[in-house]
Amino acid sequence: MTDTFSSENLSLQLTNTLPDSLRSYNLKSKAELASETIIKLIQNGSFKKETILPSEMELAKLLGVGRSTVREAVKQLVSQNILEIKRGLGTFVAKNPGVLPDPFGFRFYKDKLKLGLDLCEIRLLIEPSLARNAAEHATPEQIQIICAAHEKIKSLIHAGINHEAADVAFHSSIANCSTNAIMPNLMDIIYAAINYIINLNNRTLLEEAIQTHQMVVDAILNKDGEAASKAMELHINQIKDDVINRIKANK
């Protein structure tokens, strides 16, 4: 997305966000105050998720600070996954501001197969219920996104292309049907480690994944919560069984 913001609109929002001048504060650095102001503008909807921020010069003018202060503030927010710099395009608000991609340190687990098994157990506790909820409550727009994600997975697998990101998008689209505001972000954290539990070289598993994904999609289209729950449980158990077999093979 490449939404832009008018100086007049942002100036008004800034006035509402910070009734006092940024320079009147002396307990924090200007960069910290500038970053806090940007966060507030994201929180109140002035800067929306996945949209581009004003230029560095415009931000400096709006915040009443120098461009070097804006640069430092942006640097701080990028490190917190609140902002994202896209080379050649500009600085954007992150998709999930403040949600770090690996807060549990999955990448540092030495035993990836054991991690995969543990993640399957967690997914079995949560995802069948998410699939049931999607079948019973998803809007037509949400169902369309789920179906499109499934079709993309199929096309990538059949083309022999890595489908990891598409698989995450499929499961995320189901989680996004939940009315629980925490659930989509929580599942995105779990899905970030999905590459540890998918054997991308196992053609049998990939074909099974297509079949069980289709079962989930069909159940959602039929608004059959029970069938959706059982299909998702079957899908995750297939992955779990594959992980168990690889653990046994490594012993």
Side-chain angles (χ1 to χ4, degrees):
M1 299 175 67
T2 57
D3 291 1
T4 57
F5 307 88
S6 68
S7 298
E8 294 78 9
N9 178 56
L10 284 178
S11 295
L12 177 61
Q13 293 291 349
L14 184 61
T15 300
N16 294 334
T17 301
L18 282 185
D20 300 317
S21 170
L22 194 61
R23 294 193 180 94
S24 67
Y25 294 84
N26 56 18
L27 297 179
K28 297 182 179 180
S29 71
K30 288 183 179 180
E32 289 174 320
L33 291 168
S35 66
E36 288 181 2
T37 304
I38 293 172
I39 289 173
K40 289 178 181 178
L41 289 169
I42 295 171
Q43 289 172 333
N44 69 20
S46 300
F47 295 161
K48 300 184 185 301
K49 296 179 182 180
E50 298 186 90
T51 57
I52 190 170
L53 263 62
S55 68
E56 182 181 282
M57 182 178 297
E58 187 174 7
L59 272 177
K61 181 179 179 181
L62 288 167
L63 299 177
V65 296
R67 294 176 66 176
S68 62
T69 298
V70 170
R71 268 185 234 111
E72 181 59 31
V74 168
K75 183 179 178 181
Q76 292 177 10
L77 296 175
V78 168
S79 70
Q80 299 170 48
N81 198 43
I82 294 172
L83 299 180
E84 177 185 6
I85 296 176
K86 298 182 180 181
R87 295 189 181 278
L89 296 176
T91 302
F92 291 72
V93 179
K95 177 182 178 182
N96 295 311
V99 179
L100 298 176
D102 187 22
F104 298 133
F106 289 146
R107 74 188 73 177
F108 296 106
Y109 280 60
K110 291 184 179 180
D111 191 340
K112 302 303 185 192
L113 289 176
K114 177 60 167 61
L115 171 62
L117 189 59
D118 290 344
L119 285 171
C120 283
E121 295 290 350
I122 296 298
R123 293 181 68 185
L124 281 169
L125 291 174
I126 301 173
E127 290 194 71
S129 294
L130 291 177
R132 178 190 295 273
N133 175 77
E136 295 175 351
H137 303 293
T139 66
E141 292 77 14
Q142 290 172 327
I143 292 174
Q144 186 176 13
I145 293 172
I146 292 170
C147 292
H150 172 54
E151 290 301 320
K152 185 171 184 179
I153 290 174
K154 286 199 298 184
S155 65
L156 290 174
I157 289 178
H158 291 153
I161 301 173
N162 187 306
H163 72 288
E164 178 186 318
D167 191 85
V168 171
F170 173 75
H171 287 277
S172 293
S173 67
I174 294 173
N176 287 337
C177 296
S178 173
T179 56
N180 186 312
I182 297 173
M183 190 59 68
N185 286 344
L186 174 62
M187 295 313 297
D188 278 348
I189 292 170
I190 293 175
Y191 297 145
I194 206 165
N195 59 309
Y196 300 141
I197 57 178
I198 290 182
N199 184 352
L200 296 177
N201 297 316
N202 188 330
R203 293 301 307 179
T204 300
L205 183 63
L206 293 180
E207 291 301 326
E208 288 178 346
I210 290 176
Q211 293 172 9
T212 49
H213 278 175
Q214 187 67 60
M215 291 170 63
V216 172
V217 171
D218 289 343
I220 291 174
L221 287 170
N222 292 328
K223 298 189 178 300
D224 188 336
E226 182 66 18
S229 175
K230 289 182 178 179
M232 183 62 77
E233 183 177 350
L234 175 61
H235 172 62
I236 299 172
N237 272 321
Q238 287 173 343
I239 300 171
K240 180 181 176 182
D241 289 343
D242 178 69
V243 174
I244 290 173
N245 289 334
R246 282 188 278 159
I247 290 175
K248 290 178 179 178
N250 288 343
K251 288 184 178 180

